[in-house]
Amino acid sequence: MKETPLSNCERRFLLRAIEEKKRLDGRQTYDYRNIRISFGTDYGCCIVELGKTRVLGQVSCELVSPKLNRATEGILFFNLELSQMAAPAFEPGRQSDLLVKLNRLLERCLRNSKCIDTESLCVVAGEKVWQIRVDLHLLNHDGNIIDAASIAAIVALCHFRRPDVSVQGDEVTLYAPEERDPVPLSIHHMPICVSFAFFQQGTYLLVDPHEREERVMDGLLVIAMNKHREICTLQSSGGIMLLKEQVLRCSKIAGVKVAEITELIQKALENDQKVRKEGGKFGFAESIANQRITAFKMEKAPVDTCDVEEKAEEIIAEAEPPAEVVSKPVLWTPGTAQIGEGVENSWGDPDDSEKEDDDEGGSDEAVIFDSIKMDTEIEVSNTGSQDAPIVLSDSEEEEMIILEPDKNPKKIRIQTINAKQEKAPSKRPVRKRKKKRAAN
Amino acid sequence: MAEAAAVAGESLGGGRARAARTVLGQVVLPGEELLLPEQEDADGPGGAGEQPLRLNAGARSRVRVVCGPGLRRCGDRLLVTKCGRLRHKEPSSGSGGGVYWVDSQQKRYVPVKGDHVIGIVTAKSGDTFKVDVGGSEPASLSYLAFEGATKRNRPNVQVGDLIYGQFVVANKDMEPEMVCIDSCGRANGMGVIGQDGLLFKVTLGLIRKLLAPDCEILQEVGKLYPLEIVFGMNGRIWVKAKTIQQTLILANILEACEHMTTEQRKQIFSRLAES
């Protein structure tokens, strides 16, 4: 899609506003837009926001053989991409002039300034070196791509950790992050680009131009500097004549801005380190919910649990002991008895149990507790209890206690005891035999 | 609120169609299916009064329903194609039907016939101008489509000028066509916009909000400074006040209005009026 053209009226308004030292977003001449740095879950991944301009930086590494003329140096590779997502005017898969210019500037700013110790990336001289690749993606374009990209690149490099390696003879061992902590790159200094836009043949100067200011500017001066006020790159484009004093003044401004930004970067890196140590979620990973687009979440209500035990004890102490349940035992058939209402199985399918109820009605002994029925059952149990010992004598291990009805409790108990006594001696020899077998 | 959340959650989980009447003013998502209440339904109040919309149902139960932006008819189903709040407008005759649409937030403009937009002239070619309106392709504007223009008397339009006009042709896959006159041949406010002032872009939702008949923002803004303002349905606003400072303030206020509650807005306006 074609770029939205700039109308005459916008151009005129912008220039007049700049003459009056006013900017569209209310900034002063030397003000930067808000810079926000956030990190991803992986090392070496960050998003830098400069106002509405957003750049995603991702660093990756690989073991490769070095270049022939530099056998002991690692390789640095920078790649900035302008996707169509950033602005509809960017065409995918085509190297536009702007892209080439930006990539070249980034390389000069970061590689040629030797901010990264490439010799420390050497594993085996002439055979294996680390290749560090910095991928930068422009996510949204609102002017001043180069500043945002240079910040994103250096932040991602500072944040990156490469796997540890050890060399024993010819053997190179690569350690997973679980085995050995990954090592950070050795970075000597942090060069940061600062852009100055010139209007009316250099009469007016603005720091950090946004997209529409970039469109009406006459010339652009980019100064890459580190916090020691060493100029790493200086590039003037747009074909305007700058005076010596102007360049000097710009470099002074750049020094101040770079100091501010470097401090911000260091603070962001420290913050991230701290959060990582605590094991929380960090960076923009925080905003990614658990693979859900929308979530109707209930907020967790904080509950004070420090005095729960005391409270529970208090409640237990204060509460009255439960009333003793006096249950009338029922003996259904000889050998089985019931206390309370425990016969009914409440775990089954409700529908099924209902059906059963319907089918069998009151005839089933298990369901209905009529007083009349109780009486009859008790009678049954009385009669049945006399035969009980015979049934019981099955096994010694199963202790069966028959809870007797009111009438003749003693009798039954005696009978059961008798049964046990009678049965016991007959079983003992068998056991002994078993033991002997085991001994043999 | 909790109920609304529960309803939305259910629809997300189950994927069942919801009755359009019950979700009016609520958020709908693309792919959702809506049910329209069928008039004169034989089932009566006791039965399932709501069935999937049948646009080709018998003439007896025919109700005129218009699917606005964000809704799409697919066979005899009504599908949501945009994310936003479902809106409904009763027809003037009453008795069911009416217009349903989805109020969504977006920046990309798609030309619609009858919309008033602000365009930027990008080229003069023969007897037409090419005008950028923010759509997928530029619109064409005949030089005869200005008030009082004849073959001899051409309007004075330069490349880069702002045009306030109206779409007369806006079809899918076709070049849209603009005019700067109404059906009586009058300009009616349309034409070339002056050389001063500031043009800025906002979301389409904000434009609709500002142009709503019951919108208070414009009246409040008008009390602040004397101003000239033009709204284009394509998300462009042109504003001009006496000084650059005032114009900038107005532009920033209008942009900020999108995410402010009425109270916040009133606070800011009163603070501005004092200073």
Side-chain angles (χ1 to χ4, degrees):
Chain A
M1 209 187 120
K2 262 192 171 174
E3 197 176 12
T4 313
L6 194 73
S7 64
N8 295 344
C9 115
E10 278 171 281
R11 184 185 303 274
R12 199 167 296 136
F13 186 89
L14 278 166
L15 290 175
R16 271 178 56 197
I18 289 161
E19 276 172 35
E20 291 185 24
K21 307 245 177 243
K22 297 210 168 68
R23 297 175 79 167
L24 286 188
D25 40 14
R27 279 185 287 160
Q28 294 297 308
T29 324
Y30 301 147
D31 283 355
Y32 252 90
R33 286 171 287 180
N34 282 337
I35 301 175
R36 245 190 78 200
I37 300 166
S38 45
F39 296 96
T41 30
D42 284 346
Y43 279 119
C45 180
C46 72
I47 285 184
V48 170
E49 286 170 58
L50 181 62
K52 281 180 192 161
T53 300
R54 268 169 166 243
V55 177
L56 169 77
Q58 172 72 60
V59 181
S60 49
C61 64
E62 198 184 349
L63 276 175
V64 293
S65 48
K67 287 175 183 165
L68 288 176
N69 51 351
R70 297 199 195 281
T72 59
E73 285 184 21
I75 300 167
L76 278 173
F77 187 79
F78 296 93
N79 183 36
L80 172 68
E81 294 222 354
L82 307 176
S83 72
Q84 228 180 350
M85 193 166 73
F90 294 137
E91 280 177 45
R94 200 175 131 254
Q95 289 267 323
S96 65
D97 290 351
L98 175 73
L99 183 55
V100 173
K101 196 182 101 180
L102 290 172
N103 265 323
R104 183 78 198 106
L105 197 53
L106 262 180
E107 265 181 21
R108 273 170 49 198
C109 166
L110 289 157
R111 187 197 288 157
N112 300 4
S113 68
K114 307 240 182 253
C115 65
I116 291 164
D117 183 12
T118 45
E119 294 204 351
S120 72
L121 295 173
C122 176
V123 180
V124 181
E127 282 180 27
K128 282 265 179 292
V129 293
W130 283 108
Q131 186 192 46
I132 305 290
R133 188 187 164 93
V134 185
D135 280 298
L136 299 162
H137 287 264
L138 185 66
L139 302 181
N140 193 34
H141 175 38
D142 192 32
N144 208 0
I145 302 167
I146 186 65
D147 289 17
S150 79
I151 296 171
I154 198 73
V155 169
L157 282 168
C158 289
H159 191 243
F160 182 66
R161 305 279 187 278
R162 67 169 169 82
D164 203 1
V165 285
S166 70
V167 184
Q168 285 175 326
D170 289 345
E171 205 173 307
V172 179
T173 325
L174 201 69
Y175 294 99
E178 293 83 30
E179 292 171 306
R180 277 198 200 178
D181 279 342
V183 266
L185 306 174
S186 63
I187 290 167
H188 298 311
H189 60 92
M190 287 155 68
I192 287 159
C193 291
V194 179
S195 308
F196 300 89
F198 291 94
F199 301 87
Q200 313 258 322
Q201 296 308 309
T203 329
Y204 300 101
L205 165 117
L206 291 183
V207 176
D208 181 24
H210 61 69
E211 199 247 341
R212 285 208 269 184
E213 282 166 349
E214 272 185 353
R215 289 230 217 153
V216 294
M217 73 188 171
D218 289 334
L220 183 75
L221 179 72
V222 181
I223 300 180
M225 203 185 249
N226 60 22
K227 70 171 176 189
H228 313 297
R229 291 174 174 263
E230 293 164 334
I231 291 178
C232 303
T233 305
L234 194 143
Q235 176 173 298
S236 166
S237 56
I240 48 157
M241 311 295 280
L242 290 175
L243 298 170
K244 191 175 81 185
E245 288 80 40
Q246 277 177 316
V247 178
L248 281 175
R249 200 176 71 186
C250 286
S251 72
K252 265 183 200 157
I253 299 165
V256 178
K257 293 293 163 201
V258 165
E260 283 172 16
I261 295 168
T262 312
E263 203 177 311
L264 191 90
I265 292 173
Q266 261 151 6
K267 219 181 271 173
L269 284 167
E270 273 167 32
N271 263 348
D272 180 69
Q273 202 103 53
K274 217 168 76 189
V275 178
R276 249 164 225 275
K277 253 187 196 162
E278 287 164 7
K281 273 192 171 180
F282 18 79
F284 52 83
E286 205 175 356
S287 58
I288 302 167
N290 302 326
Q291 300 186 331
R292 291 188 66 173
I293 303 167
T294 46
F296 295 98
K297 249 196 232 166
M298 292 280 274
E299 280 291 314
K300 277 186 188 167
V303 176
D304 193 9
T305 53
C306 51
D307 58 349
V308 162
E309 277 186 42
E310 287 135 41
K311 266 196 177 171
E313 274 172 13
E314 259 178 47
I315 291 166
I316 291 167
E318 280 171 21
E320 285 179 5
E324 279 204 50
V325 183
V326 184
S327 55
K328 288 182 181 173
V330 182
L331 197 66
W332 297 120
T333 52
T336 48
Q338 175 215 340
I339 308 168
E341 302 168 11
V343 188
E344 210 170 349
N345 180 13
S346 60
W347 288 90
D349 199 341
D351 293 345
D352 289 357
S353 66
E354 270 174 33
K355 268 182 200 165
E356 277 176 18
D357 286 356
D358 293 341
D359 293 345
E360 293 161 356
S363 67
D364 192 14
E365 20 177 35
V367 185
I368 293 168
F369 260 82
D370 268 355
S371 57
I372 308 160
K373 211 170 186 186
M374 279 288 277
D375 292 343
T376 56
E377 296 299 349
I378 288 164
E379 278 172 27
V380 169
S381 69
N382 283 345
T383 52
S385 64
Q386 282 150 6
D387 304 320
I390 305 159
V391 182
L392 264 178
S393 63
D394 250 8
S395 131
E396 192 186 29
E397 268 87 79
E398 276 183 34
E399 270 196 326
M400 278 225 182
I401 297 168
I402 294 173
L403 292 159
E404 57 288 297
D406 301 338
K407 282 181 184 174
N408 48 358
K410 280 180 185 172
K411 195 181 165 189
I412 292 168
R413 191 166 284 168
I414 291 159
Q415 278 176 341
T416 51
I417 292 164
N418 286 346
K420 276 186 185 174
Q421 279 171 347
E422 281 167 19
K423 198 70 193 174
S426 68
K427 271 220 167 177
R428 263 175 210 152
V430 181
R431 273 197 175 174
K432 275 177 190 168
R433 251 177 258 149
K434 273 183 187 167
K435 273 180 193 169
K436 272 178 193 169
R437 268 182 215 159
N440 291 339
Chain B
M1 204 44 221
E3 193 186 304
V7 170
E10 181 193 292
S11 84
L12 288 178
R16 270 172 36 227
R18 290 192 283 169
R21 269 191 311 190
T22 61
V23 289
L24 280 184
Q26 284 180 24
V27 173
V28 288
L29 296 176
E32 233 177 288
E33 195 179 331
L34 295 178
L35 298 169
L36 289 173
E38 267 199 359
Q39 302 295 306
E40 301 164 48
D41 202 334
D43 291 349
E50 279 149 2
Q51 286 181 350
L53 170 71
R54 280 179 224 291
L55 292 149
N56 52 357
R60 187 175 57 87
S61 63
R62 179 167 290 179
V63 174
R64 195 180 166 82
V65 173
V66 180
C67 298
L71 296 174
R72 179 176 221 167
R73 185 191 140 189
C74 186
D76 49 2
R77 300 190 302 161
L78 185 63
L79 293 176
V80 181
T81 56
K82 272 183 194 169
C83 177
R85 283 165 181 272
L86 185 73
R87 304 278 187 204
H88 173 58
K89 194 181 165 199
E90 286 287 335
S92 51
S93 62
S95 76
V99 186
Y100 286 91
W101 76 96
V102 178
D103 227 356
S104 62
Q105 285 291 353
Q106 63 177 59
K107 288 179 170 178
R108 158 76 63 231
Y109 177 70
V110 181
V112 174
K113 189 180 167 185
D115 268 4
H116 287 80
V117 294
I118 298 177
I120 303 165
V121 178
T122 54
K124 288 191 213 180
S125 59
D127 50 359
T128 58
F129 303 112
K130 286 273 169 282
V131 184
D132 176 273
V133 288
S136 60
E137 60 178 328
S140 74
L141 170 67
S142 165
Y143 74 95
L144 289 173
F146 289 86
E147 190 186 57
T150 54
K151 282 216 164 180
R152 277 245 192 101
N153 184 16
R154 291 194 169 216
N156 180 24
V157 179
Q158 306 299 323
V159 170
D161 276 355
L162 291 181
I163 299 277
Y164 181 58
Q166 190 179 9
F167 279 116
V168 282
V169 174
N171 294 327
K172 229 190 234 176
D173 309 321
M174 253 182 83
E175 191 185 54
E177 200 180 322
M178 277 174 80
V179 290
C180 290
I181 42 172
D182 60 10
S183 52
C184 314
R186 299 263 166 227
N188 210 354
M190 290 182 279
V192 179
I193 299 176
Q195 295 297 314
D196 300 328
L198 173 64
L199 179 81
F200 60 100
K201 279 175 104 175
V202 295
T203 60
L204 302 187
L206 179 60
I207 291 280
R208 283 199 295 269
K209 189 172 154 187
L210 290 168
L211 286 175
D214 53 350
C215 178
E216 298 166 351
I217 301 172
L218 264 191
Q219 279 141 27
E220 287 167 26
V221 168
K223 282 177 205 155
L224 227 52
Y225 308 117
L227 76 155
E228 277 183 77
I229 196 160
V230 179
F231 296 103
M233 284 302 283
N234 54 349
R236 289 182 181 157
I237 301 178
W238 176 87
V239 63
K240 185 189 166 190
K242 261 185 195 155
T243 61
I244 298 258
Q245 176 74 14
Q246 287 181 357
T247 313
L248 277 175
I249 289 173
L250 289 172
N252 281 322
I253 276 197
L254 286 173
E255 246 176 290
C257 274
E258 185 164 18
H259 301 298
M260 275 198 288
T261 60
T262 319
E263 289 84 55
Q264 285 173 331
R265 201 179 64 228
K266 290 214 162 112
Q267 262 182 13
I268 285 177
F269 275 105
S270 62
R271 214 186 304 155
L272 263 174
E274 282 165 24
S275 61

